[in-house]
Amino acid sequence: MSNKEETKQDLRIKSHVYTESNVKAPNRAMLRAVGLTDDSFTKPQIGIGSTWAEVTPCNIHLNDLAKAAKQGALDSGGVPLQFNTITVSDGISMGTQGMRYSLPSRDLIADSIETVVGAENLDGLVAIGACDKNIPGCGIAIANAEMPAIFVYGGTIAPGRHKGKDIDLVSVFEGVGKNSAGDIDDEELNAIECNACPGAGACGGMYTANTMASAMEAMGMSLPGSASNPAESEDKEKDVKAAGEAVLNLLEQGIYPKDIMTEKAFENAITVVMALGGSTNAILHLLAIARAAEVDLTIDDFNRIQEKVPHLADLKPSGRYVFQDLYNVGGVQAVMKMLHREGYLHGDCLTVTGRTVAENLAEAADLTDGQDVIMPLENPKRADGPLIVLKGNLSPTGAVAKVSGVKIKRHEGPARVFNTEKEASDAVLNNEIREGDVLVIRYVGPKGGPGMPEMLSVSSLLVGKGLGQKVALLTDGRFSGGTHGLVVGHISPEAQSGGPIAFLEEGDLVTIDSEHKEISFDVSDEVIEQRKAEWVQPELYRKGVLGKYAHNVTSSAEGAVTDYLNR
């Protein structure tokens, strides 16, 4: 017998509790019923958790991907155990009361994955997610579970085609605005609707799902290529199988998420998000994952990185291309390779391959010659990042704007104030909002919504009516990654918590200045205090999951988290 065989490493870092003595015979009996044998109890148990569901195209293929990951873990000497958790679709719930459940689902996903792997004493985890909240939910769970783990992205949807052009879900939202304005008829809107989403996968532009998948890969928590590989591709099937194999390697090397999810790793993630022109939701989610990982990341760090990282990607919603086009010219790894070569990334960060970012990128392909999806560093779309944090007397702790494609750098106008999304939407549809106005939707923050719903329906109506850069849209709620135009979200403190946005009145002059990163209204401190004294705080929602969320969630400037770590 070789020395290697004699000193074979026991990778059962947690599941060994089932083999310690006869006392655990009942536990083993239960596991035998699901297929484990004597031999199984000598091997590490690997959780294969996915957000598979039939309620959204983002996730409908994930069960098959989970089976591939399961096979990879089995082939590498593990005992894979598959389980599922919930998902909701932002696109389907958008503009309805159902949208209030979207952000809370992130924490439900995180808590349920942590619960399963913790209760079952699993040794490793492959987490597979696709829709917007799946990815940060998996990231939070990985940070909290404290075991070797890998995240696998379910992949982007292929673009739809209509009249010879690529279209996607946002094309439908904006089509509603065009239809309302009389620019397209009902038949044309129906044609766009029927062709926008051709199959499985997450929304196709540089929206929240693709943004967060890119961030997780840049952070080192996904295998190289995972973010870019389309949902319905051989590369994605290989990706998930390789993840099942790789988690055993992490166990052998004793590499835990805390070794990968460092401050420098989060800086890499933010850098890639800025270069690709990612979703405003990335700020919310990266803050939340960092909190779980016990990394001291703040909302101000995003401005610090934004000031030095150029925006390079010509991707939707403000650009021409969809995420699959990026895959076709080299993917996220090719972009990272360029950024690392020019000194924008920390190459010494550890990743789930067991190697560093620099070592992974040494094997990555360069961007395809002649491509124009990614601009050269010497000729970027924008010299600095497109995601900015604004502060001022309207948002003392920070609001978030995405300025890619926005030509207006300063907007001053009278506030048109609404306490519900429906009232604001009706005003836009009834042509009551005019050029120069500042449309405000409040009491839709994390507590006030509750659930901080996205305002894509309203922003798309404005774009469809030709007002995308003529009317500013402000909210303490969120925006979809598909939103573009003159919009500012995440205004904090939120109205429900007595933030200044609660004291804004119809006609107050509001100023948004992206160059100076300021957001304010022309009202003195004395008047604000007088209005505050007269303000009556609405009662917090109390029922069910939304009630629990409303009473526990922190502000958006802190990531809208529900845990109690460092409170």
Side-chain angles (χ1 to χ4, degrees):
M1 183 179 291
S2 69
N3 290 334
K4 184 176 181 181
E5 290 174 325
E6 289 175 359
T7 58
K8 185 177 180 181
Q9 189 177 3
D10 188 351
L11 303 180
R12 301 171 302 160
I13 59 174
K14 295 187 178 182
S15 67
H16 67 84
V17 297
Y18 298 128
T19 60
E20 288 177 343
S21 68
N22 289 340
V23 173
K24 296 298 187 293
N27 310 64
R28 294 193 296 273
M30 294 283 288
L31 288 166
R32 290 179 191 279
V34 299
L36 272 64
T37 63
D38 286 346
D39 183 58
S40 303
F41 293 120
T42 68
K43 300 175 181 179
Q45 296 179 20
I46 308 299
I48 310 293
S50 83
T51 54
W52 171 81
E54 292 182 336
V55 299
T56 170
C58 308
N59 299 63
I60 196 162
H61 62 307
L62 296 191
N63 203 43
D64 290 336
L65 295 186
K67 291 176 182 177
K70 185 176 179 180
Q71 188 63 51
L74 185 66
D75 291 347
S76 296
V79 178
L81 297 168
Q82 191 176 339
F83 66 94
N84 286 85
T85 184
I86 62 117
T87 187
V88 300
S89 169
D90 287 12
I92 295 172
S93 62
M94 193 73 67
T96 74
Q97 287 297 299
M99 188 64 202
R100 298 183 299 167
Y101 290 89
S102 169
L103 187 58
S105 78
R106 180 191 73 181
D107 294 45
L108 285 169
I109 290 165
D111 292 348
S112 60
I113 292 174
E114 180 192 349
T115 298
V116 172
V117 299
E120 299 294 318
N121 294 295
L122 300 180
D123 302 302
L125 170 65
V126 178
I128 308 170
C131 203
D132 295 8
K133 306 310 170 297
N134 299 176
I135 303 165
C138 290
I140 294 168
I142 285 169
N144 283 330
E146 297 181 338
M147 65 176 59
I150 292 178
F151 172 73
V152 186
Y153 180 39
T156 186
I157 194 172
R161 295 287 290 178
H162 179 59
K163 293 186 174 178
K165 294 182 180 180
D166 286 347
I167 61 172
D168 59 15
L169 183 63
V170 175
S171 305
V172 190
F173 278 103
E174 294 178 0
V176 174
K178 293 177 181 178
N179 179 258
S180 175
D183 295 334
I184 62 173
D185 59 21
D186 292 355
E187 184 177 354
E188 174 66 5
L189 177 59
N190 180 257
I192 296 171
E193 172 190 335
C194 292
N195 289 282
C197 301
C203 295
M206 195 59 196
Y207 310 146
T208 302
N210 287 326
T211 296
M212 289 309 301
S214 301
M216 290 292 280
E217 183 172 326
M219 195 188 302
M221 286 308 306
S222 295
L223 293 176
S226 180
S228 310
N229 295 330
E232 297 181 306
S233 69
E234 289 185 10
D235 282 343
K236 179 51 65 182
E237 292 181 16
K238 294 176 182 176
D239 178 21
V240 288
K241 187 174 187 294
E245 298 166 353
V247 75
L248 272 297
N249 179 53
L250 291 176
L251 272 167
E252 289 172 357
Q253 296 193 47
I255 297 174
Y256 286 71
K258 64 182 179 181
D259 302 315
I260 298 171
M261 301 169 84
T262 64
E263 183 176 352
K264 290 198 295 185
F266 278 93
E267 290 184 349
N268 282 348
I270 297 169
T271 296
V272 169
V273 167
M274 291 291 179
L276 293 178
S279 164
T280 53
N281 287 309
I283 295 179
L284 196 72
H285 297 324
L286 287 172
L287 285 170
I289 299 170
R291 172 70 70 90
E294 299 188 67
V295 170
D296 187 20
L297 187 73
T298 73
I299 196 169
D300 295 322
D301 289 317
F302 289 84
N303 272 350
R304 173 174 59 83
I305 296 172
Q306 178 268 340
E307 291 168 0
K308 62 182 182 181
V309 178
H311 178 200
L312 303 174
D314 195 13
L315 293 169
K316 290 178 179 289
S318 59
R320 295 174 293 167
Y321 294 105
V322 294
F323 204 64
Q324 186 161 309
D325 293 317
L326 176 59
Y327 163 78
N328 291 334
V329 301
V332 171
Q333 284 289 295
V335 177
M336 289 179 63
K337 186 173 185 178
M338 179 175 66
L339 290 170
H340 178 253
R341 185 170 58 239
E342 299 300 324
Y344 288 97
L345 294 177
H346 301 292
D348 58 343
C349 290
L350 188 63
T351 74
V352 291
T353 64
R355 299 179 298 174
T356 65
V357 168
E359 289 170 332
N360 290 341
L361 294 177
E363 299 178 359
D366 291 312
L367 285 164
T368 303
D369 289 339
Q371 62 82 34
D372 60 354
V373 179
I374 302 296
M375 300 295 103
L377 283 163
E378 60 271 18
N379 185 33
K381 284 181 67 66
R382 180 184 166 95
D384 53 10
L387 300 182
I388 61 174
V389 175
L390 305 95
K391 292 186 177 181
N393 72 342
L394 188 55
S395 183
T397 54
V400 178
K402 184 175 180 178
V403 295
S404 53
V406 179
K407 298 176 182 178
I408 307 300
K409 299 185 184 299
R410 180 183 175 88
H411 181 96
E412 289 185 347
R416 304 296 310 281
V417 184
F418 300 91
N419 291 342
T420 69
E421 179 184 6
K422 185 180 186 307
E423 291 171 337
S425 296
D426 289 345
V428 176
L429 287 170
N430 294 332
N431 300 314
E432 296 170 12
I433 305 300
R434 295 177 175 81
E435 182 176 339
D437 284 348
V438 177
L439 178 59
V440 179
I441 307 174
R442 64 188 179 188
Y443 293 105
V444 290
K447 289 181 176 294
M452 204 180 179
E454 293 178 348
M455 301 292 121
L456 177 60
S457 294
V458 183
S459 66
S460 297
L461 285 173
L462 290 171
V463 171
K465 283 180 170 288
L467 297 172
Q469 298 201 39
K470 298 175 182 178
V471 169
L473 175 55
L474 274 56
T475 181
D476 52 6
R478 296 182 297 126
F479 288 108
S480 163
T483 295
H484 61 107
L486 190 56
V487 300
V488 181
H490 305 206
I491 291 177
S492 65
E494 62 176 292
Q496 178 68 44
S497 297
I501 189 174
F503 316 130
L504 191 64
E505 294 186 356
E506 190 83 5
D508 285 346
L509 185 66
V510 177
T511 300
I512 304 107
D513 189 327
S514 62
E515 283 194 310
H516 294 92
K517 297 175 182 171
E518 295 177 357
I519 181 167
S520 61
F521 62 128
D522 190 19
V523 175
S524 68
D525 291 344
E526 291 76 16
V527 172
I528 293 174
E529 286 301 317
Q530 181 181 345
R531 292 178 182 178
K532 184 176 182 179
E534 298 170 354
W535 174 69
V536 178
Q537 184 179 32
E539 184 178 358
L540 270 180
Y541 192 86
R542 293 180 177 275
K543 188 175 181 180
V545 66
L546 293 179
K548 295 184 184 76
Y549 188 81
H551 284 264
N552 285 284
V553 69
T554 64
S555 80
S556 57
E558 299 172 309
V561 298
T562 54
D563 64 41
Y564 283 83
L565 186 65
N566 298 324
R567 283 202 188 184

